[in-house]
Amino acid sequence: VQLVESGGGLVQAGGSRRLSCAASGFNLDYYAIGWFRQAPGKEREGVSCVNFGDNGDGRTYYAASVKGRFTISSDNAGNTVYLQMNSLKPEDTALYSCALGPIATMAPDDYVFWGQGTQVTVSS
């Protein structure tokens, strides 16, 4: 089981970035994927999540701070989950990680497997 994030980097405020979470070793159809972020000195917070499992309907969820700016999606094969981030703000600067769990929630403790994270830095 492996989750690998990519796509982080330095971007100016107002810009966009697309993060990828490549999943291997399991079938996403039975699980949920969440995107989380952690800024220095702050707790990890949920950004967005999506249910792929039998009890899920593909519904997506977003934190209030990113709703309308970020979009979670997956490729047709269902092996990669994306986080499209638009209208980025300096306060979006953080280490972004994806995680796999049984159901989509914004609680980090509900997720079992984690990627290593990818850093996003938004300059003002």
Side-chain angles (χ1 to χ4, degrees):
V1 176
Q2 192 174 21
L3 299 171
V4 179
E5 303 94 334
S6 62
L10 177 65
V11 60
Q12 287 189 335
S16 299
R17 203 82 183 179
R18 189 177 79 161
L19 305 183
S20 299
C21 172
S24 61
F26 52 87
N27 188 337
L28 279 179
D29 288 346
Y30 302 104
Y31 301 100
I33 289 288
W35 279 101
F36 296 83
R37 66 185 182 186
Q38 188 168 22
K42 294 186 177 181
E43 292 187 355
R44 179 179 283 169
E45 64 171 344
V47 175
S48 181
C49 55
V50 58
N51 264 329
F52 292 109
D54 290 342
N55 292 326
D57 54 5
R59 288 187 65 182
T60 57
Y61 304 88
Y62 298 94
S65 59
V66 306
K67 196 170 186 179
R69 300 189 297 123
F70 291 12
T71 303
I72 191 170
S73 64
S74 66
D75 63 3
N76 289 336
N79 294 325
T80 302
V81 178
Y82 303 101
L83 184 68
Q84 177 67 44
M85 307 184 296
N86 298 329
S87 302
L88 283 163
K89 305 174 182 179
E91 51 263 45
D92 293 320
T93 295
L95 180 69
Y96 285 73
S97 301
C98 63
L100 178 142
I103 192 169
T105 77
M106 289 296 196
D109 288 347
D110 290 340
Y111 290 79
V112 179
F113 295 105
W114 290 81
Q116 83 289 350
T118 185
Q119 177 68 35
V120 175
T121 302
V122 184
S123 63
S124 57

